[in-house]
Amino acid sequence: MPKKSTKSRATGAAKGEGKSPSPVTGQPAKQPDPIVGSGGEHHQPVQGGQVLTSAQGAPLSDDQNSLRAGERGPTLLEDFAMREKIFHFDHERIPERVVHARGYGAHGTFETTADLSAVTRAAIFAKPGAKTEAFVRFSTVAGAKGSFDLARDVRGFAVKLYTTEGNWDIVGNNIPVFFIQDAIKFPDLVHAVKEAPDRAFPQAQSAHDSFWDFVSFTPEAIHMTLWQMSDRAIPRSFRFMEGFGVHTFRFVNADGVSSFVKFHWRPLQGLQSVLWNEAVKINGADPDFHRRDLWAAITSGDLPQWDLAVQVFDESFAEEFDFDVLDATKLIPEELVPLQVVGRLTLDRVVDNDFAETEQVAFGTGNVPPGIDFSDDPLLQGRNFSYLDTQLSRLGTTNFTQLPINAPRCPVAHFQRDGQMQTEVPTGRINYEPNGFGGAERGPRADPSAGFQSYQEPVDGAKVRARSATFADHYSQARQFYISQTPVEQDHIVKAYTFELSKCEIPQVRTRMLAHLLNVHEDLATGVAAGLGMPLPEAAAAAMPTRTDLPPSDALSILKKGPGSFAGRKLGVLLTDGSDAAVLQAVREALSEMGAVLETVAPVVGGVTLSDGSVLMADQMIDGAPSVLYDAVLLLPGAKAVPELAARSTAKDFVSDAFAHHKFIGHNAASRSLLEAAGVGDLLDAGCVKVTRSTATAFVKKCGALRFWERGVQP
Ligand code: HDD
């Protein structure tokens, strides 16, 4: 058992203090030390000056050469050092998660901001100001561990809160509804979306026959596909996504009184997504786009934050509500049950080791402290089995709760014993209860007042395999989602369905899907049919007619909730020799003021000589930094370098893509011929801004709108 480091978190944070201030916040950068890491608890830092040993602790004399009979002779079986090293290496991988395999984690702190003791006895909500350690893992769903970040996919948003009463996991997504109503259908859903078993493709995408074939026979999935085809499924950053617990859970107070609750994470950074045409290019330019973004933000001190908000409601609301609150394919509009903010999550530390922490973290919907309880949502009930069960395949032992990332931070006392990789050494003879050796009972005992009490929900019913009729309306909320979007967002949804269905080779799959879309909204179905060049079929038979009286909800749109600020975003500045140093400095200052990031892009990464004679190293070479990596761009070439730049296709793409993706484009007088070479010289609009020293701040402010949708171009 490796010795646990005694280093405290504070030590790790202090390490950053000597570093230069963050360009974003001006705070000292919290770059983890490349050798010893960030110094979290439970970590075994690599130290200089130590003698290299085997895993058994034997000091080694040579780690470069295996033991052989003569310098050119055969390797000897006796070489325990080589055998041990290769043995360990051979077994370095564990099975990846069956879903959500590709993920990225970070540590954080949750601060309670409301006293909820009237509705829940959970200690985490007893005292405003209380802080709880947290770990978050974001993920895509369908792709393998090594797939790319910007697949069109749901994002996992799993939060582990290490409360004083045990770990509480909110294993959510960035979409508030789910594809299916009953856990028994989950294996089918996942088989359908993942690569086909015979050919092992398509990977990390839903644009194929099996997925849409499944959906076309599963009308309950239609609502979620509206979200999945919206820009929610191609987020710009994990930092700019909402998170949802999805299910209805229960709060239970100290008197045993229960209310229903839904959990929402709301990013203080605001919401933002990319365009599909950008997503496909980002996947090539930087498959790690999301993880790099999170790592960069946290290590530069621009700490992402989310408010935890709850929707609390009682049985009478549940009875009156138009849909069944136990149906995970439905949401409760914020207009009906407002969100109440009860806490704030700050991600403040990157992991020291991806495998030990992010790969080995085990979430489970069944991990709840006293005061949080389950509803009878059949999807949630099934999940409570699945998450515990899967850890045995993935982590190989029932003792996975002893891994540092999974271990509760509160005392743990039970008589579960032994098993593979038992790292605890329980002493004494007693491993059962009750016990009475020596006269008195010894060891931990369950306590009805302190312990978890399930809400005493009266239950009565025949044992049936049946779905309640209250789950039968599959289209009304899908329609409500569609009519809540701006025209730009509606257009993206139409195009996404069109793209995905165009990848289906079996025509009947497309036809069946069009028949469902007709039940959602005629414009949607007509738009997709036109995009596919197919006639509209009859509408699908529906268990219940689509309601047209549900009002639009602004909360469902991304663009209606835009941040209105460029904070946390990134400007790509194209530089060459001769670029104006003063303008660059003015823009840099304006961005820093705003809390945004500047990245320099130049013909060569070795840098450029600016107008004032100073030499500036570039962050990126133009061939490796297309404009899809930036939220807005600034063209600031020196006049003499423009002809060469304008002849370079990567530079032309930099400009034409930024234009096509509705980005704000700052430019100087010299970039005129570059704009012309990129084909946008005659198209300049109000989203293209001349930037000088005096207009730098205004330009950065303008970029806060994030995209210039008025441009009306199609990428
Ligand atoms: Fe799940 C992983 C979210 C339905 C079975 N799920 C997993 C993760 C997230 C979700 C975020 C990744 C956790 C991590 O980062 O380690 N899953 C959801 C949501 C659902 C949902 C929001 C519906 C509301 N899941 C669902 C069902 C089942 C599962 C119905 C099974 C019946 N999910 C799993 C799993 C995973 C998992 C197989 C894979 C790895 C793991 O659990 O630890 O058990």
Side-chain angles (χ1 to χ4, degrees):
M1 168 75 186
K3 275 205 186 116
K4 287 176 180 172
S5 162
T6 51
K7 199 173 316 116
S8 70
R9 177 95 63 81
T11 322
K15 254 185 222 115
E17 280 170 22
K19 310 264 158 131
S20 52
S22 146
V24 182
T25 60
Q27 294 171 7
K30 285 201 198 129
Q31 289 287 354
D33 186 302
I35 305 295
V36 299
S38 68
E41 296 160 41
H42 309 291
H43 299 202
Q44 194 190 24
V46 173
Q47 285 166 2
Q50 279 179 312
V51 174
L52 190 72
T53 72
S54 72
Q56 301 286 353
L60 300 178
S61 61
D62 182 347
D63 189 42
Q64 308 288 317
N65 298 291
S66 50
L67 186 69
R68 55 194 84 131
E71 281 178 8
R72 302 182 57 250
T75 305
L76 301 177
L77 191 59
E78 181 190 317
D79 186 352
F80 63 85
M82 182 197 73
R83 276 190 289 118
E84 182 199 77
K85 187 174 174 183
I86 291 180
F87 155 77
H88 196 279
F89 169 76
D90 286 347
H91 304 280
E92 271 179 10
R93 296 285 173 271
I94 59 173
E96 67 175 33
R97 289 166 174 80
V98 59
V99 280
H100 296 265
R102 181 170 179 80
Y104 205 60
H107 297 271
T109 307
F110 176 78
E111 181 170 350
T112 304
T113 55
D115 176 355
L116 290 184
S117 48
V119 285
T120 173
R121 59 174 280 206
I124 189 170
F125 292 124
K127 216 169 104 201
K131 292 196 172 158
T132 304
E133 192 183 333
F135 187 79
V136 178
R137 185 175 179 274
F138 301 108
S139 47
T140 53
V141 179
K145 191 167 150 41
S147 54
F148 37 82
D149 277 349
L150 258 162
R152 174 178 292 284
D153 201 350
V154 181
R155 297 299 182 291
F157 194 127
V159 183
K160 190 180 282 295
L161 297 161
Y162 302 89
T163 83
T164 54
E165 300 172 307
N167 292 351
W168 175 26
D169 295 351
I170 307 178
V171 197
N173 281 337
N174 73 334
I175 289 178
V177 292
F178 202 61
F179 291 108
I180 48 172
Q181 296 170 326
D182 188 320
I184 199 169
K185 297 180 78 162
F186 192 66
D188 299 300
L189 165 71
V190 175
H191 287 175
V193 74
K194 284 213 157 201
E195 64 270 22
D198 55 354
R199 61 209 68 187
F201 63 83
Q203 295 185 67
Q205 54 184 305
S206 53
H208 54 86
D209 285 313
S210 319
F211 177 71
W212 291 106
D213 186 35
F214 174 83
V215 171
S216 72
F217 288 115
T218 314
E220 71 206 51
I222 298 292
H223 181 200
M224 173 104 167
T225 67
L226 261 288
W227 288 78
Q228 183 200 6
M229 294 304 111
S230 81
D231 297 341
R232 298 257 177 178
I234 41 175
R236 152 69 176 85
S237 160
F238 295 136
R239 299 180 291 136
F240 309 148
M241 311 187 308
E242 291 179 317
F244 303 92
V246 180
H247 309 280
T248 298
F249 289 85
R250 282 184 180 278
F251 272 154
V252 185
N253 72 11
D255 299 326
V257 178
S258 169
S259 1
F260 289 121
V261 57
K262 279 186 177 264
F263 298 106
H264 300 242
W265 295 104
R266 312 221 306 185
L268 269 66
Q269 301 74 229
L271 293 181
Q272 190 186 339
S273 285
V274 300
L275 295 172
W276 175 241
N277 185 267
E278 274 182 290
V280 293
K281 292 173 179 169
I282 291 171
N283 284 332
D286 184 3
D288 305 312
F289 188 67
H290 283 155
R291 52 178 63 188
R292 193 186 306 282
D293 170 272
L294 191 65
W295 174 275
I298 295 174
T299 54
S300 72
D302 186 15
L303 306 180
Q305 295 188 305
W306 285 261
D307 277 339
L308 176 64
V310 292
Q311 283 180 298
V312 181
F313 53 97
D314 57 15
E315 296 276 357
S316 66
F317 172 85
E319 268 159 36
E320 283 161 22
F321 182 48
D322 293 331
F323 304 95
D324 198 321
V325 300
L326 303 183
D327 174 358
T329 67
K330 307 296 187 305
L331 53 82
I332 301 178
E334 289 177 28
E335 290 77 5
L336 292 184
V337 181
L339 266 58
Q340 182 192 352
V341 174
V342 297
R344 180 165 291 181
L345 172 74
T346 305
L347 295 186
D348 48 24
R349 185 160 63 92
V350 294
V351 298
D352 271 326
N353 186 278
D354 179 73
F355 179 84
E357 302 178 89
T358 307
E359 189 62 5
Q360 293 200 117
V361 66
F363 292 93
T365 49
N367 301 343
V368 288
I372 314 283
D373 206 341
F374 314 110
S375 71
D376 294 335
D377 174 342
L379 195 73
L380 176 59
Q381 298 275 325
R383 291 180 76 193
N384 286 345
F385 162 70
S386 183
Y387 288 77
L388 182 60
D389 184 54
T390 200
Q391 307 312 342
L392 195 56
S393 306
R394 221 166 60 72
L395 299 169
T397 167
T398 51
N399 289 318
F400 69 88
T401 52
Q402 296 176 14
L403 294 168
I405 194 66
N406 296 323
R409 307 307 192 234
C410 62
V412 171
H414 54 71
F415 287 117
Q416 294 166 27
R417 290 289 182 270
D418 309 343
Q420 287 189 358
M421 301 311 293
Q422 173 61 257
T423 62
E424 306 286 330
V425 186
T427 56
R429 192 168 165 190
I430 294 166
N431 59 358
Y432 59 92
E433 52 98 29
N435 60 68
F437 279 18
E441 286 209 356
R442 301 243 304 269
R445 291 286 178 272
D447 177 345
S449 63
F452 187 95
Q453 292 271 16
S454 293
Y455 171 62
Q456 296 187 6
E457 182 192 359
V459 179
D460 182 23
K463 246 192 240 177
V464 289
R465 288 188 187 275
R467 197 79 55 93
S468 165
T470 52
F471 282 42
D473 180 344
H474 301 317
Y475 302 109
S476 300
Q477 282 205 343
R479 179 188 176 88
Q480 185 177 32
F481 179 80
Y482 186 71
I483 61 170
S484 302
Q485 308 300 310
T486 61
V488 167
E489 291 169 306
Q490 287 181 339
D491 180 52
H492 292 175
I493 294 172
V494 169
K495 293 216 163 68
Y497 274 111
T498 307
F499 171 83
E500 298 258 323
L501 295 176
S502 79
K503 295 286 178 183
C504 294
E505 292 161 13
I506 303 170
Q508 297 92 310
V509 172
R510 297 185 210 139
T511 306
R512 280 199 300 270
M513 278 310 303
L514 287 173
H516 285 298
L517 296 185
L518 256 180
N519 285 338
V520 178
H521 201 289
E522 203 179 327
D523 293 352
L524 172 62
T526 315
V528 178
L532 291 169
M534 287 177 65
L536 268 180
E538 292 285 301
M544 283 177 77
T546 310
R547 291 179 50 170
T548 53
D549 58 334
L550 300 182
S553 162
D554 285 353
L556 305 182
S557 153
I558 295 176
L559 294 185
K560 291 180 191 168
K561 301 205 294 190
S565 159
F566 205 59
R569 274 68 181 179
K570 201 189 247 189
L571 181 76
V573 184
L574 188 53
L575 298 174
T576 63
D577 285 342
S579 288
D580 191 318
V583 176
L584 179 64
Q585 183 56 22
V587 172
R588 199 186 283 283
E589 280 164 19
L591 286 168
S592 170
E593 183 90 348
M594 176 73 80
V597 175
L598 182 150
E599 198 161 279
T600 52
V601 182
V604 290
V605 76
V608 294
T609 305
L610 299 178
S611 58
D612 62 358
S614 62
V615 175
L616 182 78
M617 285 263 272
D619 297 311
Q620 298 277 357
M621 176 188 185
I622 181 71
D623 296 2
S627 57
V628 292
L629 301 183
Y630 305 107
D631 296 294
V633 298
L634 172 59
L635 314 177
L636 210 57
K640 280 195 197 142
V642 172
E644 203 184 317
L645 200 61
R648 199 155 166 165
S649 60
T650 49
K652 284 187 281 187
D653 289 350
F654 188 91
V655 179
S656 59
D657 264 358
F659 189 84
H661 298 148
H662 301 258
K663 286 179 184 164
F664 286 94
I665 302 178
H667 56 94
N668 63 3
S671 44
R672 180 77 220 166
S673 48
L674 176 59
L675 288 161
E676 272 161 18
V680 302
D682 297 333
L683 305 174
L684 299 191
D685 51 32
C688 304
V689 182
K690 264 245 165 76
V691 178
T692 61
R693 265 170 76 180
S694 57
T695 60
T697 305
F699 169 63
V700 169
K701 225 165 158 199
K702 193 158 195 178
C703 291
L706 302 182
R707 298 295 164 107
F708 186 69
W709 295 117
E710 296 83 342
R711 189 165 290 154
V713 287
Q714 300 295 342

